[in-house]
Structures are given as C-alpha cells and as structure tokens.
C-alpha cells in the first residue's frame, strides 16, 4: 500500500513538474499579481505632494520641449528630422502621468502630439516610430507610454496598434534579434506584452514574451553567479569596448541594472513560480546592496557599478528606473519591505538630485557630496560635469528620462488586491476615486508623511460597502497603531507586514495610522554611521553657494560650493540614536528646500581635521571609531533631499571622557 501511495505521489509530482515545465516553455496564461496598480487618474496628489508635482510641471518637465531640440518640434517621434531614438519616448513616459495626475490641459496637449503621431503613423508592416532607425529599444519605452495612455483614456486606437506591432515583432525577431540596449532591457517590453495579454487574451503575446526572454540577457543567472563585486574599471570598459566587446559595459551599466530589478516579477507572471522568483528578486537587490549599496537607498553607478564608497555617484536615470522596477516588483509580489525601499529612494535620492525648483538636475549624485563642480572626479566612466546641477550635465539621457520619477511614485500610492480590497502601498497625501466591490469609493489621505508620523485616511464610499483594507507597516515602525473613528483597533501591526482590516466601511469613516518614527543608526562604508527617521535619511548641509557656470536656454548650469566645514564625525551609535532630539517645523512651499526644512535631527559632532577634500570629493572616509581632542559641537542634520551638498555617511567619534576608559 505504501509503495503504491508513493508511486501515485511520484507520478502526480512528475505530472505537476511536467506541467510547470510546459508552462515555463510555452505559457498558456499569466500568474496573478499580489496587487494591481489603479488606473492612471484614479489617484490624485494632494498636500505637499501636489505642490511637488506642480513644481515639476512648472520647471523643466513643463518647458523642456520649448528649448531642448531633442524633444522639440523637430523630434523624429513627431515626424521631424531630429532625434529619433530614446529621448522623445523617455520624455513622454514621465510627462504623460504628470499631465494626467495634475489634470493639466497644457501638458496633456504636449503629450498628445507624440501619442497622435505614433498612433497615426504605424507602418503597414506593424512597425511603429521614426523610420530613420529600426532599433527595438526606443520602441520599448514608447510601448510603456501607450499602455499608460490607454489606462488613462481607453482610447480605442491603442490596443490594435500594439497588437499589430507585437505580431510584426514576433515574426521579425528570429531574423533580427535583440541586441545592445534592447537585449539588456527586454523585461520592460515584456511588461507591456503581459499588460496587453490581460486585455486581449491573444495567445501569440505569450510566445512573444518567451522569445524576448530567450533573446534577452539572463539577469537572473548573472546574479546567481555575480561577477561585478568591485569598482568597475573605466580603463577595462574602454579597452573591451574598443575590441568590440560591450558585454562588461552592459552588465555593469547602472541604468540596465535598475531596469533589470523587474526581471523576476516579469518571469513570475510567465512561470507562476512565486517562491523561486521572489528569491531571485531578493538576491538581485541584496547583491547590489552588498557590493554597491549607497546610504540614499540606491546603488552606485557613475555610470558603471562603483562599489561602496559614498563619494561615488548614482546616475539619475538609474534612480527613476529603479523606482519603477520596484513599483512593479511591489505590485507583483506584495512584499511590504519593497515599499520601504521605494519610499527611501523617492524621499531622498530623488529630490536630492534636483534644485528646489526642478529646473536643473545632476547626472550623478553622491551620498557624500561636498562640492558640485568641474573638479569632481571619482567617476568610473563619467565626465567632469557629472555632478553639476544643470540642463544636461555629462549626457542628456537623464534630461529626457527623469520626468517619470514623481508621477509613477504617485500612481503607486494605492493599489487594489484580488480579494476585492484596497492597499495603502506608500504614504503621501492624496485622493483616490475608484470602484470597490462594484461601489464608488473615494478616500482622502491627509498626512505630512514622511515629515510626520501620522496618516489619516477618510473614507467616503457612496454607500456602505464591505472590503478588506491593507495598510503597509514599514520595517522601521515598531509599535504602529490603527484607530478607526477614534477607537483603537485590535489588528496585527508587526513591522514589514500589512495591517488587514476587513469591515463594513461607511461614509465618513476615519482610519488613523500612527507609525512611530524613532531616529536610528545604520552602518555603511568603513563602519560609518548614517541616520534615518522613518523613511527620511539625514545629512549635514555645509551651506550652499550656487554659482552659475553658464546659461542654458530657459535654465542654467550651476556649481555649488560649501560655506562651512563638512568634515565632522558624529557622537552617536546604535544605543544612543533613539534619544536624538527631533525638531519639526512647518512644511514650506517647496517641500525639499534647505531654506525651510520640515524636520531636523539635532546631534553632536567633532571636526576631524585629517579628513580633507581631495580633488573636489571627500577624501577616504576615516575607518572605525575616531577620537578627537576638539570640543564637540551641536549640528542640525536636515533631510538628504534638501541638502544639495551633504555628508550622509559619517565617521563615528567617541566622547573625550569615554576615550580613556
Ligand atoms: Zn541618464
């Protein structure tokens, strides 16, 4: 009997594994995601976030096409003789959600020129885009644009154009396979292929998804046997490239790695194997953190993987692409801690690399950034202008691509769950109007998070309706509480989970979420200390003197010089961090401006005279606990995003009276 049972089990297992393998080779359906993003337009920014998006719209995003030819009227993506590659699609990939989130008719009109041209000029073969090149890569970006546009408008032109394009590509790829950027960024296209399959059920789309994966670079295997653990050598990249070998340049390229963080999520939908692909995602992120992690939540890439020294830089394209990949991974796997990482990047690395008005940006930002100027040269392969704040420092890709950062973050604040519920994924002030269990539900998130620790959600269903509400509890929030209409709710609020409340919701119900924000220390390069409170990273701002280098059309390129000393060590460690004084002030009209920061941490520090500037960057970070005979001083640390010059990873110093013990 036992043998028989075992045989039956073995046969069943074999059949199951054959089915799984068949599904992998030739998928017949897509595995469901944990959560689903709400269609563009159902979430509207409010409060400080609305001001931030308005700053973006009034800055470079809303005016770039008026003076930067690459996205101007001559663009190949408008039928002109100008730039016909990635810049037009990059620009619209961010301008489109920005325009719809703000419901801004002026911006929508700018977007529609690119959309209409693309939809109305499909070749008889099915090819889209400028005839001047046939590179698959820039089209991958425009596909993302068209999917967002359909989500926002349901324009009936979109699905047929995408269907014809994908059929054309399925027939053309065997003879003209993915190469170069497209080969390393295939997962962005599969995301749209999967999106279209959910709307049309066209089985050829799953064959296309598999073919793209087969022709694309195998990021999962690359991270199972990771080869790029050190600082990439610029000389090596140059030598290999001159021999015609671009593989190392592509594998260590920061933007490629940021985009690749969605690979496991894409594969899960095809294979249905959540355990394997969640593991692949976690290994990929943990490997980048271990060898290239930066205190601001990103990894170093200037513009190739650059190790752990916080004087190394991170390219802005990589910031916004990593955010988008993590937003996809969060929705796919429903892992709470991915939300923590999205907030860490969006609330620190993203604002920290723009001026307050978003009229200028950097190519490379540094966690320890003591000077913005032409003499900063820690970069692996980038040029001397890389950390200027300007129109197109070093290279114009980020100028075209940065626009998606804040808008796609805003679009990911709330999601739906397959059990007919809503998920508070990320926290920021916003309004949501959606349909839950067939009922119109609107809700309003009133909060000054991430500068404050309370989030109030006011629900206004048209009629009372029962549904599960999930609230993400960040890893740092110990002792989080939920009140409903003033009454403490008995609900599990462990860090890195979702508090789940399933009840009948009535108009005017109020959910108050308290997320205790206690200052904490974490350790980085050379045992340095970094301070956080909630999702905000804190930095020392040595003062900022902005000196114009040159005018650039409607904007300018800027150098920034420190006004005071930056070379401090902090009298703080893991045991004392929780006692650090927190000073809260009103949130200014520009949420991330150094002139009026919403929150500060008051700490003690000592100057370390031996720690000096070397060619515009902080010299080697003193390793281990320092001693100083100089008196300690009170220092106010401000949010990383406001400190356009900054020290973020500090040496630790021991107080004089402890040093002799
Ligand atoms: Zn870039």
């Amino acid at each position: 009997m036992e043998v028989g049972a075992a045989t039956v089990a073995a046969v069943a297992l074999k059949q199951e594994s054959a089915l799984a393998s068949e599904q992998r080779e030739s998928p017949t359906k897509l595995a469901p995601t944990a959560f689903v993003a709400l269609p563009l337009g159902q979430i509207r920014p409010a409060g400080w976030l609305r001001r931030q998006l308005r700053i973006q719209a009034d800055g470079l995003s809303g005016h770039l096409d008026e003076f930067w030819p690459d996205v101007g009227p001559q663009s190949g993506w408008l039928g002109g003789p100008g730039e016909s590659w990635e810049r037009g699609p990059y620009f619209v990939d961010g301008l489109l959600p920005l325009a719809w989130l703000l419901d801004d008719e002026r911006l929508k009109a700018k977007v529609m020129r690119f959309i209409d041209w693309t939809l109305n000029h499909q070749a008889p073969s099915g090819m889209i885009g400028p005839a001047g090149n046939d590179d698959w890569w820039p089209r991958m970006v425009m596909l993302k644009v068209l999917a967002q546009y359909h989500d926002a408008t349901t324009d009936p032109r979109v699905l047929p154009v995408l269907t014809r394009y994908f059929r054309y590509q399925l027939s053309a790829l065997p003879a003209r396979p993915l190469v170069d950027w497209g080969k390393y960024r295939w997962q962005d296209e599969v995301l749209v292929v999967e999106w279209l399959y959910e709307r049309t059920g066209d089985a050829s789309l799953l064959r296309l998804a598999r073919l793209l994966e087969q022709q694309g670079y195998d990021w999962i295997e690359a991270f199972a046997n990771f080869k790029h653990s050190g600082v990439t050598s610029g000389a090596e990249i140059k030598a290999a490239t001159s021999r015609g070998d671009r593989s190392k340049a592509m594998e260590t390229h920061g933007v490629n790695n940021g985009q690749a963080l969605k690979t496991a999520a894409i594969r899960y939908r095809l294979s249905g194997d959540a355990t394997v692909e969640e593991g692949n995602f976690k290994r990929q992120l943990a490997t980048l953190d271990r060898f290239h992690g930066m205190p601001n939540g990103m990894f170093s890439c200037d513009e190739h993987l650059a190790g752990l020294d916080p004087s190394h830089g991170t390219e802005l394209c990589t910031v916004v692409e990593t955010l988008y990949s993590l937003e996809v991974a969060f929705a796919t796997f429903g892992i709470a801690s991915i939300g923590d990482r999205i907030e860490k990047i969006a609330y620190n690395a993203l604002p920290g690399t723009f001026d307050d008005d978003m009229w200028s940006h950097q190519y490379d930002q540094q966690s320890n950034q003591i000077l913005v100027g032409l003499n900063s040269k820690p970069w692996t392969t980038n040029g001397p202008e890389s950390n200027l704040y300007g129109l197109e420092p070093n290279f114009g890709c980020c100028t075209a691509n940065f626009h998606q950062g804040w808008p796609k973050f805003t679009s990911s604040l709330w999601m739906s769950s397959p059990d007919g519920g809503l998920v508070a994924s990320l926290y920021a002030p916003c309004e949501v109007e959606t349909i839950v269990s067939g009922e119109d539900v609107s809700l309003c998130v009133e909060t000054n998070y991430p500068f404050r620790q309370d989030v109030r959600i006011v629900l206004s269903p048209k009629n009372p309706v029962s549904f599960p509400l999930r609230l993400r509890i960040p890893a740092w929030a110990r002792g989080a509480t939920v009140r409903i209409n003033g009454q403490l709710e008995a609900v599990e609020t462990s860090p890195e989970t979702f508090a789940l409340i399933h009840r009948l919701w009535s108009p005017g119900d109020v959910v108050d979420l308290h997320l205790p924000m206690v200052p904490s220390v974490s350790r980085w390069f050379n045992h340095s200390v970094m301070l956080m409170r909630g999702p905000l990273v804190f930095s020392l701002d040595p003062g900022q003197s902005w000196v114009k280098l040159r005018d650039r059309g409607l904007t300018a390129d800027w150098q920034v010089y420190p006004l005071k000393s930056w070379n401090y060590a902090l009298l703080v460690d893991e045991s004392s961090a929780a006692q650090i004084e927190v000073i809260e002030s009103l949130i200014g009209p520009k949420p991330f401006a150094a002139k009026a920061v919403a929150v500060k941490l008051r700490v003690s520090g000592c100057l370390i005279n031996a720690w000096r500037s070397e060619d515009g960057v902080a010299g080697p970070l003193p390793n281990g606990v320092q001693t100083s005979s100089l008196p300690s001083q009170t220092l106010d640390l401000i949010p990383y995003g406001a400190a356009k010059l900054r020290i973020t990873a500090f040496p630790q110093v021991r107080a004089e009276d402890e040093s002799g013990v």
Side-chain angles (χ1 to χ4, degrees):
M1 286 294 284
E2 277 179 12
V3 172
T7 308
V8 169
V11 168
L13 198 66
K14 208 170 162 187
Q15 282 172 346
E16 198 180 294
S17 116
L19 276 175
S21 148
E22 203 175 297
Q23 168 72 8
R24 265 197 301 278
E25 291 311 315
S26 176
T28 53
K29 59 182 176 16
L30 289 180
T33 55
F35 306 137
V36 178
L38 298 180
L40 180 59
Q42 292 194 356
I43 302 171
R44 301 268 180 209
W48 74 259
L49 183 60
R50 186 168 189 85
R51 295 205 297 281
Q52 185 64 46
L53 290 189
R54 198 65 249 169
I55 289 168
Q56 181 178 345
D58 293 341
L60 215 43
S61 290
H63 298 281
L64 186 62
D65 58 317
E66 294 160 22
F67 72 107
W68 199 56
D70 287 359
V71 298
Q74 298 299 306
S75 163
W77 288 90
L78 295 171
E83 209 271 351
S84 296
W85 197 49
E86 65 184 11
R87 294 191 177 177
Y90 265 163
F91 179 50
V92 194
D93 193 30
L95 190 64
L96 186 147
L98 181 67
W100 262 266
L101 286 164
L102 291 172
D103 201 16
D104 184 315
E105 295 304 328
R106 190 181 74 89
L107 299 187
K108 284 182 188 175
K110 291 182 181 229
V111 169
M112 285 313 297
R113 284 177 220 144
F114 289 89
I115 298 283
D116 283 335
W117 186 86
T118 303
L119 292 177
N120 294 339
H121 290 81
Q122 185 166 32
S125 65
M127 187 61 153
I128 60 167
N133 75 69
D134 63 0
D135 187 352
W136 300 117
W137 155 242
R139 291 161 174 90
M140 294 179 182
V141 185
M142 188 48 90
L143 296 172
K144 288 191 293 175
V145 172
L146 294 175
Q148 290 185 83
Y149 171 64
H150 187 269
D151 276 347
T153 64
T154 67
D155 186 324
R157 293 177 296 173
V158 176
L159 301 188
V161 165
L162 291 180
T163 299
R164 284 196 293 271
Y165 176 72
F166 286 138
R167 284 186 182 163
Y168 162 69
Q169 197 185 24
L170 183 61
S171 67
L173 272 175
R176 198 163 69 75
L178 298 179
V179 292
D180 216 37
W181 301 108
K183 180 179 165 186
Y184 288 82
R185 299 173 174 180
W186 60 273
Q187 56 293 319
D188 280 74
E189 174 163 347
V190 176
L191 189 65
V192 183
V193 173
E194 292 174 350
W195 176 92
L196 186 64
Y197 177 78
E198 286 180 326
R199 281 151 185 82
T200 66
D202 176 354
S204 72
L205 291 168
L206 297 181
R207 293 202 297 279
L208 175 61
R210 185 56 81 209
L211 184 58
L212 288 163
E213 186 190 2
Q214 283 162 355
Q215 291 193 359
Y217 180 67
D218 189 346
W219 287 102
I220 302 302
E221 201 282 326
F223 276 84
N225 298 289
F226 191 63
K227 291 199 260 331
H228 307 299
S229 55
V231 181
T232 307
S233 155
E236 218 177 287
I237 294 280
K238 259 189 206 153
T241 305
S242 69
R243 293 194 305 270
D245 177 6
R246 297 251 291 154
S247 59
K248 182 157 187 182
M250 287 289 176
E251 290 164 19
T252 58
H253 192 269
V255 187
N256 287 352
N257 274 275
Q259 290 185 234
L261 280 165
K262 64 176 77 66
T263 308
I266 300 304
R267 281 170 38 126
Y268 155 71
R269 300 222 58 201
L270 295 171
S271 74
D273 200 333
T275 310
V276 166
E277 297 304 344
E278 277 185 32
N280 285 336
F281 168 78
K282 287 176 180 171
R283 178 175 59 201
Q284 200 169 345
L285 188 59
T287 303
L288 287 170
D289 283 346
R290 179 178 170 202
F291 296 112
H292 306 285
M294 290 286 111
N296 59 17
M298 284 298 306
F299 53 91
S300 63
C301 51
D302 51 19
E303 66 188 40
H304 296 89
L305 297 175
L308 295 166
D309 188 326
S311 287
H312 267 291
T314 298
E315 184 189 335
L316 174 50
C317 280
T318 310
V319 174
V320 295
E321 294 292 356
T322 299
L323 273 173
Y324 182 54
S325 289
L326 295 177
E327 286 152 11
V328 170
F330 178 89
T332 305
F333 297 128
I335 299 171
S337 62
I338 302 176
D340 297 8
R341 179 59 73 94
I342 294 170
E343 287 184 353
K344 188 178 181 188
I345 296 170
Y347 289 151
N348 299 285
L350 182 63
T353 200
F354 291 94
D355 74 309
D356 298 344
D357 296 317
M358 292 189 77
W359 269 103
S360 65
H361 68 272
Q362 298 174 291
Y363 194 86
D364 288 333
Q365 66 177 300
Q366 300 152 283
S367 287
N368 282 0
Q369 177 166 286
I370 60 165
L371 179 71
V372 165
L374 297 168
N375 56 346
S376 302
K377 292 186 181 72
W379 326 122
T380 52
T381 49
N382 288 151
E385 297 199 355
S386 295
N387 81 342
L388 294 180
Y389 286 89
L391 170 65
E392 49 179 345
N394 190 59
F395 191 66
C397 53
C398 307
T399 310
N401 191 15
F402 79 74
H403 313 272
Q404 62 172 312
W406 281 117
K408 289 187 184 172
F409 172 81
T410 306
S411 290
S412 301
L413 292 173
W414 283 77
M415 296 182 182
S416 62
S417 52
D419 55 3
L422 286 176
V423 185
S425 321
L426 310 164
Y427 295 110
C430 66
E431 290 165 7
V432 178
E433 276 185 38
T434 188
I435 295 171
V436 183
S437 301
E439 287 287 343
D440 289 337
V441 173
S442 59
L443 63 86
C444 184
V445 180
E446 299 167 2
T447 183
N448 282 320
Y449 187 98
F451 310 105
R452 302 288 189 274
Q453 46 196 347
D454 291 295
V455 178
R456 167 167 284 188
I457 302 162
V458 182
L459 289 109
S460 310
K462 205 168 173 187
N463 299 299
V465 56
S466 177
F467 65 85
L469 174 66
R470 285 176 176 79
L471 308 171
R472 185 186 119 253
I473 308 296
W476 45 260
R478 290 188 190 84
T481 57
V482 177
R483 286 174 192 275
I484 298 180
N485 300 328
Q487 298 296 310
L488 197 61
E489 179 81 3
V491 59
E492 180 64 52
T493 59
S494 300
E496 288 189 73
T497 62
F498 294 88
L500 174 61
I501 307 150
H502 197 154
R503 74 195 291 276
L504 184 71
W505 299 101
S506 299
D509 277 345
V510 176
V511 177
D512 282 309
L513 173 65
H514 179 68
L515 297 168
M517 291 180 175
V518 178
S520 68
V521 157
S522 56
R523 296 280 169 173
W524 297 82
F525 184 63
N526 280 357
H527 306 100
S528 55
V529 291
M530 186 268 272
L531 283 170
M532 287 186 77
R533 178 194 185 239
L536 289 180
V537 172
F538 284 80
S539 305
L540 177 75
D541 176 5
Q544 307 168 20
S545 170
W546 288 64
V547 178
K548 191 189 282 185
L549 182 66
R550 59 195 166 222
D551 284 314
R552 298 298 305 270
L554 295 176
T555 184
D557 292 342
W558 298 88
Q559 303 182 75
V560 191
Y561 294 91
L563 298 170
K564 293 178 285 191
S565 300
W566 53 265
N567 48 335
Y568 284 92
L570 296 188
L571 279 145
V572 66
D573 63 14
E574 287 77 356
S575 62
S576 64
Q579 283 83 50
I580 289 172
E581 185 183 355
V582 179
I583 300 160
E584 293 183 340
S585 315
L586 286 177
I587 299 169
K590 296 170 189 169
F592 291 94
K595 274 183 191 145
V597 294
V599 57
K600 294 179 187 175
L601 298 185
R602 184 156 287 173
V603 296
S604 295
C606 296
L607 273 172
I608 302 292
N609 281 329
W611 192 21
R612 301 264 170 89
S613 155
E614 289 179 6
D615 194 20
V617 301
L621 192 56
N623 197 346
V625 179
Q626 305 295 301
T627 53
S628 173
S629 55
L630 297 170
S632 70
Q633 301 174 41
T634 299
L635 303 170
D636 283 344
L637 306 188
I638 67 172
Y640 178 104
K644 311 305 178 186
L645 294 181
R646 62 180 84 92
I647 292 294
T648 309
F650 296 86
Q652 185 190 340
V653 67
R654 192 183 294 144
E656 274 281 87
D657 55 353
E658 287 176 24
S659 58
V661 177

